[in-house]
Structure formats: C-alpha cells, structure tokens
Amino acid sequence: MATPSGIKDLPESSKVQQEIDYAKFLNIIISRWYWVAFSLVVSLLFANTYLWYTQKKYSTVAYLKFEEKQSDLTSFVQLQSMSRNYTNKILSESWNFKSKKVISDALNFIDYKVSYFIAGRIRTSDLYPEKPFKIQILKQDSIVFYDKLITIRGQGKNFEIEYKIGKKEIKNTHTYNTPIEIPGVTFYIDKNTPIFNAEYNFKFNHKNDFYGRLSDGLTIVEAAKFSSVAMISKTDYNPYFAADALNAIIKVYLQQDLALKTQSAKQIIDFIDAQLDNLANSVKSSGEKLKNFKQDNNFIDLSNATESVLSKVTELETQNRSYEMQLLILKQLQNQLSKNGKAMLNFNLDGNVDPLLTNLIAQFNALIQERLSLLSTYKENSSVVVDIDKKMAVLQNAASNNMLSTLNRILKQKEFNKVELEKAYASLNTLPKQERVLFGLQRDYDINEKIYSYLSEKKLEAQIGKASVLSGASLIDAAQPNTSPISPNTKSVWQMAWIVGIGIGLGFIFLVRSINDKIYDKEKIESLTNTPIIGMIRNYPYKLDSYSSQILSIAKPKSLFAESVRSVRTNLSFIASDKESKVISITSEVAGEGKSFVSVNLASTMALIDKKVILIAADLRRSKVHRTFNIKNKIGLSTYLAKQNTLDEIIINSSQPNMDLIVAGHVPPNPAELMYTEQLVEMISNLRKRYDYIIFDTAPIGLVSDALPLIRMSDINLFVIRAGKSKFSAANIPDRISNEYKLKNSFIILNDYTLQPLYSRYYTSVYNDNYYGYYYSDVHTNGQGYYTDDIKVGKIKSLFISITKLFKKENS
C-alpha cells in the first residue's frame, strides 16, 4: 500500500491539478445507458409514428431553355447596364408562371371535375389519374352543387351511395347507367366500369378548388448559375397530378408567350384588314365607274402625255396614302407611350419608321422586364428601382423625340407631294373635258388598286412574320411522375430520431448532474477546497442497525470497508509525528454525515495496533456514542466539565483492549460555555499522559460553535464529508476555519463512499511527486476474494469496466 508522504509539509495552496478524464466521461454515460436507450426508443417510436401518419409529398421537374435573338441594329444609343441577363429573365418569368391567367388556363388541361379516393386505415388517398369507375355528369350547376365526399359501395349489380347533408345521412341504392340526383348535380355510373364489392369515395370539384393546388409548390430557378436553362418544379401529394399539372402550366405558358410575341403582327394584320375592307369597295366602285364611262363615251385609252401625268399623279397619291397610314400608326404608338409609361409596347414598327425607334422600344421593354424582376426583391422607392425608372424616362423621351422627328419628316414629304400634284393637275387644264373626266376616273382606280395591292403585300409580310415567330422558351424535358417522396425524408427523419433520442438521453443525464448539489467523490472535494483528503471510507453494502452497534472495522475485519478505515489510520500515523500523544477532533458540517460512525471505527482500528486510545463523545447536545456501546449516559464529559465528577469517574473501559471512552453525559443547559472552561484544557493535559490517541467526536461545526475550542487545541482536525449527503458548501468549511484560526493539520475524510458515475466529476486529479493521494477505495474492481463485502460484477458491467480501463490507458 502506498502512503502519502510529506503530508505535514503541505502548503496552503492546493497541490492538486485536475484534467479531463475521458474514461470517467464515458463512465458517466454508461452508468445511465438505460436512460439513453429509453429516450432513443421513444424517439424512434415517434419517428415511426410521424412517418406513418404524415402524408407524403412528391416533386417533379421540367426544364425550359430561354433564348433571346440579338438585334442586328446598331447599339450605339444603348444605356449602360441595360442588357438583361438570364437570371433576371428567369426571375421575371417566374411571375408569369404563377399568374392567375396561366394557372386558370392550365386547369382546362386537367381532369378536375371528379376526384376519386380510397379510404385507408390512416388517411384517404387520392387515386388520380386512376378511375376505378366512370362517372358521367349529365347536368351540373355552375355555382352551387354538392362538393363534399361521397361514399360508394359495390353490391353486385347495384351500388350504394352515402353522403351527408348537414347532420343527416343519406343512403340510396342505385343501378348502373341510371341517373342519380344530388344537390346541384345529375350523373350516372357507367355500367362498363362496375364497382363489384369494393368501397371508394369521390367528390365533385369547383374549378377554383384546384387553383390553389396548381399554384402551390410551383418554383422556377436557374438549372445552373448564369445559364439560360430554367428548372421548374412542382410539389404535390400525388406524383402523377404534379407531373400533369406542371406540363399543363408549361404548355399554357408557351402558348401565351407565343401569343404575346405575335401580338404586334396581329395588330398590324387587323389594321390592314380594316383598311382593305374599305378599299375593296372603293376599288370596285371606281372600276365600275371607269368601265361605264369608257363604254358610254367610246374611249379606249388616254393619250401618251396624259398617261405620263397619270402615272406621276398615281405615284404621288399612293405615297400620300402610305404616309397617312404611317402617321396613323405613329400617333397610336405615341398615344400608347404617353398613357402606358410602364407597360409593354407591342407595335412592331420594322419597315415603317426609323429603325432607331424600334431599337429604343426594344430597350424600353427590356427595362420593364428588369424592373418587374427587381420589384420582387425591392420596394418601389428603392434606389435600384428608381435608377431603372430614370433610364426608362430617358428612353421614353428619346422615343418621343424620334417619333416627333419622323412625323415632321412625313408631313414635309406630304407638303412636297402636294406641290407636285398641283403642278401635274395644272397641266391637264388644256385637255378636253371628257379626257379630264376619264383621267380622274382612271386616277382613282389606279390609286385604290395600288394602295390595295400595297396593303395586301404588307398583310402577307405580317402573316409570314407571325408564322415565323417562335416562343422565347423551348421545352427540354417534360415533367415525369416521381414516385420517390421528398417529404417526409425517411432517411433524414430516422437520422434526426437517432440524434434527438441520444441527445435527449445525454441531455437528461447532464441535466440531472447540473441540478445536483451533493458531493460524491474526492475530485469534487479537491475542486472546491485546498484542504487535503486523508482518506475515503467505503460504503458498507449491507444493512446496519440504527445506532451502528456493530463496530464494522472489528466485526468485519476482512471487508473493504475495514480496509479503507485502516488506510485512514495509516495516513494519520504520518501526521503530527513529533507528538507522542495526538489529540484528534472529528467534526462535520451537519448531523447525519457519519462523524460518530467514523470516530468509533477509527478509534477501534487504532486500538488494534497496541495504541492506547480514548474516544470522547464531545457532542453534548445529541451524542449517540453511548448507544453504540450500549452504555448509560448519566455521567460523562458534561458532568466532568461541570465539576460534578472526576476524570477517573467518567472514563469507561470498553470491551475492546486498549480502548476506553467517555460518553457525553446529560445534556447541559450551556454546552457551548462548558467547552470553554479550564476543565477541558486540564482533561486533555491529563489524557495525553495516559493515551496515545485522544479522539473527540464533536458537535457539527456547521450548526453550533461547541467544537471550536476543541478544534483549536487539537493536533489533527478531521472534517467528515458524507458522499451523497454533504452539499458543496461543506467542502469550504475546513478552509475557512483553518484560515480564520491559523490551523494546521486539517484534513477531510470522505465517508460512505461508493462509486456513483452519474454524479462523479469527469476530471481526474494529478498530484506532484510528494503527494500521491492513493486510497484503497479508489479501486472499483472485484476484490478477487480478498474482501468479504465484494459485490459480484455482472458481465455487462465487467465489459464497461474494461472499456473504462482501456480509456484510462489511452489517456495516460
């Protein structure tokens, strides 16, 4: 057995350092493994229930590629940062995808009128796109009709329908192909899809019921950063519905995008059609007039000179008609630009006006798209949006100036043509009257015919242009049903269940530790005080009587308990070694910490090594020593200090050799004052001549001050801390008393120690070369038959002990 050498030379500061012991840390968890197992089982059961009851959600994906054709026009008038990147394009188009018009039109491609379900033990499942039986709707109110769940049960050649109106249940038996009337709907079940003996549910739907289902879970993002490919996804509780809904939305989007791009061509075609309708009558009327005039006046053709003038006049008049149409288009565009400053401009002006104007309008449209995308992130008055508005204002002003310039140019050209026409008409004044009339008729016919031909040509060009327009996006991959659910994620749920289960178990372990205020091991004491520990007395695993009448160190000499007491005895022999007779005071913070139990067993153990020992019950208030030895308590220390008895009268010989004792005696009215009398000093002086060890079992110092005089006169002061009973505050008392009264040789005994990994400190003490602090009670393994109070260790606990040893070895 190693003993602590040089204890008497201990400095006031602690010689103990503490380091984290991972083996102890593991042992704390292992000691309450069943808490962790229980919380883990509960967590896994909860996860299983969650997965069982939570409706699964599925996602499907489609890919669109956006393409933008670059204009061949010069871009020297473009503003900086005007170009639109694909990120903004995809972001702005996401609003189009989710627009009410797209979603509403997409519903026309979804079979939404009747939904079919099958009831399960937990939930009712949507059978889309399957139809276990076919419902033919004969008549349905467009606004109000029965839209609750209806149950249908097959009964051979018939079937039963059950539904509720208010609290009233309605059950009716019907045959196939026979009309069935419920509020707002008349329908029948097709006989070619019999139900047999199965049970299903179905319901009639409003179109608006599916609007939210189509729009929910619809997202559009870049497939890759800065790419022109968009990934469009749709989530739903039915994977087949999600795929059909997404494909329908994409189909409608592409149709509407194409319609938007051909809108300008359509406007031009409509405008030309309106003009052609008027001209058709004019051409026909002028032709009829010309024909009749020639027949009535026997005219065949005009003279060559007149034909030349007619050709010039027809060309000038045709130009003027063309200018008038251009002026009309420009005025409409000017009006639209002034009224809709922040709306798309849809007129296609290519070939009619200055190409620069077309370029300005294209830039303006690009800024509108960019502004829409920014509004999804910023407010109207933000600096980014205000900057876009300023650029749009610049373009508006430039377009207005360009249109004004074009209008002035056309008006000047018309004025020039007017002068030329006046000259031409003046040259005809010398012609005969009939030829002048023929000239006028021929002129009207030629002009109308040329304008009609010109407009027909422009209409054909617009139709060709419309037919050649492609959508700005093309479908790469259509949506396909994905039957693997994205929510709940089974793997993630199970992983989280393991983490949460283990975490809660570990958290509960450390919560219990955190609210504990009791001392359980020497490492905790060493972390709280500088007073050294002289030993740890082990817990006796068997039941004791209430007064500990069995002196265990004598009755059970081969027990681990007795060995731990002998270890304390050995350590005491190295303290105050210069004293021939040692006075030892044993105290504690409060009652019940085992100071009397320690005093009795320590005194008995010392008597075994031929040392004269006297045990004095110095707790004059609540002494129990006399009951341990079954002695009457009529006379004792109190009567001696009160000078009622002599020293020899109160000394009692015990049944054990070399050991005497003095009981407390009657409880006096002034116990604290008696301890300050000279009688006590004289008694100690006399006892030193007779005994090697004088052991005082004093009153608890944390409750009363009776023990202070004895503590100041003692050679060794032992402070008892009981594992699992004493609070953290108890460890501070020895330091406080030692510092206050300048005491030396104060030590702590940890009583009733047993391994409690849950509450043990996960630090281990590291001592210097002169202080080993080794105790028999540190050994927690089986005694291999050396001790009578060995507890058999099970296989599981043996495994845990082996793991702990391995960690300690690795840590060392």
Side-chain angles (χ1 to χ4, degrees):
M1 176 180 70
T3 57
S5 60
I7 292 180
K8 64 180 180 179
D9 300 320
L10 280 173
E12 292 183 2
S13 60
S14 175
K15 292 191 175 185
V16 180
Q17 293 181 348
Q18 293 190 329
E19 296 177 354
I20 292 179
D21 189 336
Y22 295 101
K24 286 186 175 182
F25 193 87
L26 179 63
N27 215 22
I28 291 171
I29 298 170
I30 292 174
S31 69
R32 292 299 184 273
W33 64 268
Y34 44 88
W35 290 3
V36 179
F38 177 77
S39 65
L40 179 59
V41 169
V42 172
S43 179
L44 292 176
L45 287 174
F46 182 82
N48 185 66
T49 304
Y50 172 78
L51 291 173
W52 189 258
Y53 282 91
T54 303
Q55 191 171 8
K56 292 179 174 58
K57 187 177 287 188
Y58 303 86
S59 177
T60 186
V61 176
Y63 293 92
L64 279 182
K65 183 177 182 182
F66 291 93
E67 297 176 328
E68 292 189 27
K69 294 181 179 179
Q70 298 296 324
S71 174
D72 294 331
L73 298 173
T74 55
S75 57
F76 65 91
V77 296
Q78 280 193 325
L79 300 174
Q80 287 187 344
S81 303
M82 191 76 70
S83 61
R84 191 172 26 140
N85 57 39
Y86 284 112
T87 301
N88 289 337
K89 170 71 174 175
I90 293 172
L91 183 60
S92 62
E93 290 305 312
S94 66
W95 294 98
N96 291 333
F97 269 93
K98 297 177 182 179
S99 66
K100 187 173 183 180
K101 180 171 177 54
V102 171
I103 299 299
S104 297
D105 291 349
L107 281 172
N108 297 327
F109 296 95
I110 300 292
D111 187 6
Y112 67 86
K113 292 186 176 181
V114 182
S115 296
Y116 299 85
F117 305 92
I118 186 169
R121 288 182 298 173
I122 298 174
R123 70 178 67 88
T124 300
S125 301
D126 185 4
L127 293 176
Y128 182 92
E130 295 182 12
K131 296 181 179 180
F133 53 93
K134 190 173 182 181
I135 295 177
Q136 297 289 350
I137 299 176
L138 300 176
K139 186 172 64 175
Q140 182 175 3
D141 191 294
S142 59
I143 300 175
V144 180
F145 56 86
Y146 189 82
D147 58 356
K148 302 295 188 297
L149 212 60
I150 301 171
T151 302
I152 183 169
R153 301 181 185 90
Q155 297 178 347
K157 294 182 179 181
N158 301 322
F159 56 88
E160 181 185 69
I161 284 183
E162 178 183 345
Y163 59 95
K164 283 185 178 182
I165 297 180
K167 295 183 179 180
K168 183 180 178 182
E169 288 190 3
I170 299 174
K171 288 185 181 181
N172 292 313
T173 301
H174 302 274
T175 58
Y176 294 98
N177 282 25
T178 301
I180 304 168
E181 291 186 7
I182 63 174
V185 184
T186 303
F187 65 98
Y188 70 86
I189 308 296
D190 195 326
K191 67 178 181 179
N192 295 320
T193 55
I195 304 172
F196 300 110
N197 294 321
E199 180 178 323
Y200 298 97
N201 302 105
F202 67 93
K203 68 185 290 287
F204 298 101
N205 302 308
H206 292 275
K207 187 175 182 179
N208 292 337
D209 294 342
F210 274 74
Y211 180 85
R213 187 173 178 184
L214 256 69
S215 59
D216 289 345
L218 182 64
T219 58
I220 173 171
V221 295
E222 288 180 289
K225 198 171 184 180
F226 304 123
S227 72
S228 61
V229 179
M231 182 178 70
I232 310 162
S233 62
K234 174 77 176 75
T235 59
D236 193 78
Y237 295 112
N238 186 306
Y240 299 96
F241 179 85
D244 289 350
L246 184 54
N247 287 330
I249 291 170
I250 292 173
K251 183 177 181 179
V252 171
Y253 167 78
L254 294 177
Q255 289 176 349
Q256 293 187 4
D257 182 65
L258 184 60
L260 183 64
K261 290 183 180 299
T262 58
Q263 184 176 354
S264 59
K266 184 177 181 301
Q267 288 178 337
I268 292 175
I269 293 171
D270 292 341
F271 172 78
I272 293 175
D273 283 338
Q275 299 298 318
L276 288 176
D277 288 341
N278 295 328
L279 281 173
N281 295 327
S282 299
V283 171
K284 183 178 180 181
S285 176
S286 61
E288 288 290 335
K289 289 179 180 180
L290 179 61
K291 177 182 175 182
N292 293 334
F293 181 81
K294 285 184 176 182
Q295 289 176 352
D296 293 342
N297 295 281
N298 293 321
F299 264 100
I300 299 176
D301 288 315
L302 296 170
S303 63
N304 290 335
T306 306
E307 283 285 352
S308 177
V309 174
L310 178 62
S311 176
K312 184 177 181 180
V313 169
T314 302
E315 182 181 353
L316 291 172
E317 290 285 2
T318 303
Q319 286 181 3
N320 283 345
R321 294 286 184 90
S322 175
Y323 290 151
E324 288 174 0
M325 284 188 292
Q326 291 183 34
L327 287 172
L328 179 60
I329 292 174
L330 282 172
K331 287 179 180 179
Q332 289 180 347
L333 179 59
Q334 197 174 37
N335 183 59
Q336 184 181 14
L337 186 63
S338 63
K339 288 184 178 180
N340 303 309
K342 294 178 182 177
M344 295 294 291
L345 301 172
N346 297 307
F347 273 111
N348 181 5
L349 303 176
D350 287 344
N352 290 326
V353 293
D354 186 359
L356 179 60
L357 180 58
T358 306
N359 192 23
L360 290 171
I361 294 173
Q363 294 181 51
F364 186 83
N365 290 343
L367 282 177
I368 290 176
Q369 292 282 10
E370 187 174 353
R371 187 179 188 277
L372 286 174
S373 64
L374 289 173
L375 286 176
S376 63
T377 307
Y378 301 96
K379 294 182 178 180
E380 284 270 359
N381 58 354
S382 65
S383 60
V384 180
V385 177
V386 171
D387 186 50
I388 293 292
D389 289 341
K390 290 179 180 178
K391 292 178 181 179
M392 289 174 63
V394 172
L395 288 175
Q396 276 181 312
N397 186 55
S400 297
N401 292 336
N402 184 281
M403 283 188 286
L404 184 60
S405 175
T406 303
L407 285 170
N408 292 332
R409 177 176 54 79
I410 293 173
L411 291 173
K412 288 181 180 180
Q413 191 64 42
K414 283 189 68 179
E415 286 295 326
F416 175 78
N417 287 352
K418 182 180 179 183
V419 174
E420 291 297 317
L421 283 171
E422 288 177 352
K423 292 179 181 179
Y425 284 131
S427 65
L428 297 175
N429 291 334
T430 58
L431 293 176
K433 180 180 179 182
Q434 286 185 334
E435 190 171 359
R436 289 200 305 270
V437 173
L438 178 61
F439 176 87
L441 293 173
Q442 187 68 46
R443 179 202 61 189
D444 292 341
Y445 175 77
D446 289 347
I447 290 173
N448 288 332
E449 186 181 33
K450 281 197 172 185
I451 293 295
Y452 191 89
S453 299
Y454 171 77
L455 290 176
S456 297
E457 182 183 342
K458 289 299 179 182
K459 178 181 178 181
L460 180 61
E461 290 177 1
Q463 288 174 332
I464 294 172
K466 180 181 178 183
S468 63
V469 172
L470 297 176
S471 175
S474 57
L475 182 62
I476 299 176
D477 283 328
Q480 299 294 331
N482 179 13
T483 56
S484 299
I486 61 167
S487 173
N489 188 317
T490 304
K491 183 178 179 181
S492 298
V493 170
W494 284 118
Q495 287 177 345
M496 184 58 65
W498 277 88
I499 293 171
V500 170
I502 294 174
I504 290 176
L506 295 178
F508 188 71
I509 289 175
F510 289 98
L511 174 64
V512 172
R513 283 176 53 84
S514 66
I515 61 177
N516 168 60
D517 62 347
K518 304 292 193 305
I519 295 173
Y520 282 90
D521 59 1
K522 65 183 179 64
E523 281 77 17
K524 189 62 183 180
I525 298 173
E526 290 167 342
S527 70
L528 297 172
T529 181
N530 291 330
T531 303
I533 301 171
I534 198 171
M536 298 189 295
I537 297 178
R538 287 296 294 259
N539 165 268
Y540 189 72
Y542 304 109
K543 187 176 181 180
L544 299 174
D545 59 72
S546 57
Y547 300 116
S548 301
S549 58
Q550 286 181 306
I551 303 176
L552 295 178
S553 58
I554 305 298
K556 304 287 184 180
K558 293 184 66 177
S559 66
L560 182 57
F561 166 82
E563 190 59 43
S564 65
V565 176
R566 287 193 288 270
S567 174
V568 175
R569 179 192 66 189
T570 303
N571 291 339
L572 282 173
S573 65
F574 291 90
I575 302 172
S577 55
D578 56 329
K579 301 284 185 179
E580 292 184 3
S581 177
K582 299 178 184 180
V583 178
I584 302 174
S585 292
I586 300 177
T587 188
S588 64
E589 181 188 25
V590 294
E593 293 181 314
K595 59 180 181 57
S596 299
F597 178 78
V598 171
S599 300
V600 170
N601 282 277
L602 188 59
S604 302
T605 305
M606 287 179 170
L608 293 176
I609 56 173
D610 292 332
K611 297 291 184 180
K612 291 285 292 181
V613 180
I614 184 168
L615 173 63
I616 303 172
D619 184 356
L620 301 182
R621 300 172 188 261
R622 291 184 59 191
S623 178
K624 296 180 181 179
V625 173
H626 62 283
R627 293 177 178 173
T628 301
F629 291 93
N630 197 20
I631 298 173
K632 293 181 180 180
N633 196 32
K634 290 184 179 181
I635 61 172
L637 180 62
S638 62
T639 57
Y640 171 77
L641 295 177
K643 297 181 180 181
Q644 297 177 6
N645 296 100
T646 63
L647 181 60
D648 291 332
E649 289 175 342
I650 62 173
I651 295 176
I652 302 172
N653 294 322
S654 69
S655 58
Q656 183 179 350
N658 300 322
M659 179 177 170
D660 295 333
L661 56 95
I662 297 174
V663 296
H666 283 301
V667 178
N670 57 342
E673 287 73 12
L674 289 178
M675 300 302 290
Y676 283 91
T677 60
E678 287 297 324
Q679 284 286 97
L680 179 63
V681 178
E682 182 181 346
M683 182 187 73
I684 293 174
S685 177
N686 290 330
L687 292 177
R688 282 183 183 274
K689 298 174 184 178
R690 303 184 190 185
Y691 298 95
D692 297 309
Y693 288 97
I694 304 164
I695 299 176
F696 284 95
D697 173 26
T698 69
I701 198 169
L703 299 178
V704 291
S705 61
D706 301 6
L708 285 176
L710 278 173
I711 289 174
R712 297 176 67 178
M713 290 185 287
S714 298
D715 301 315
I716 302 171
N717 292 299
L718 301 182
F719 189 84
V720 176
I721 291 177
R722 184 173 181 178
K725 169 72 174 179
S726 301
K727 296 185 177 181
F728 295 160
S729 57
N732 298 320
I733 293 177
D735 274 353
R736 191 169 67 246
I737 294 175
S738 296
N739 293 332
E740 185 176 351
Y741 297 104
K742 308 299 181 184
L743 301 178
K744 294 183 179 180
N745 294 333
S746 292
F747 300 93
I748 292 174
I749 293 178
L750 180 59
N751 182 36
D752 198 21
Y753 171 73
T754 183
L755 180 62
Q756 290 285 351
L758 175 63
Y759 300 108
S760 65
R761 189 170 168 81
Y762 46 79
Y763 288 86
T764 190
S765 299
V766 180
Y767 305 92
N768 65 14
D769 294 339
N770 296 322
Y771 181 30
Y772 299 101
Y774 172 81
Y775 312 102
Y776 277 109
S777 50
D778 276 337
V779 181
H780 305 300
T781 57
N782 190 289
Q784 304 294 327
Y786 279 89
Y787 307 126
T788 57
D789 55 353
D790 272 350
I791 299 176
K792 292 183 179 181
V793 180
K795 292 182 179 180
I796 295 178
K797 192 168 183 179
S798 297
L799 176 62
F800 289 164
I801 292 172
S802 300
I803 294 173
T804 302
K805 284 183 177 179
L806 179 62
F807 266 83
K808 285 184 176 179
K809 183 178 180 181
E810 292 293 333
N811 194 36
S812 65

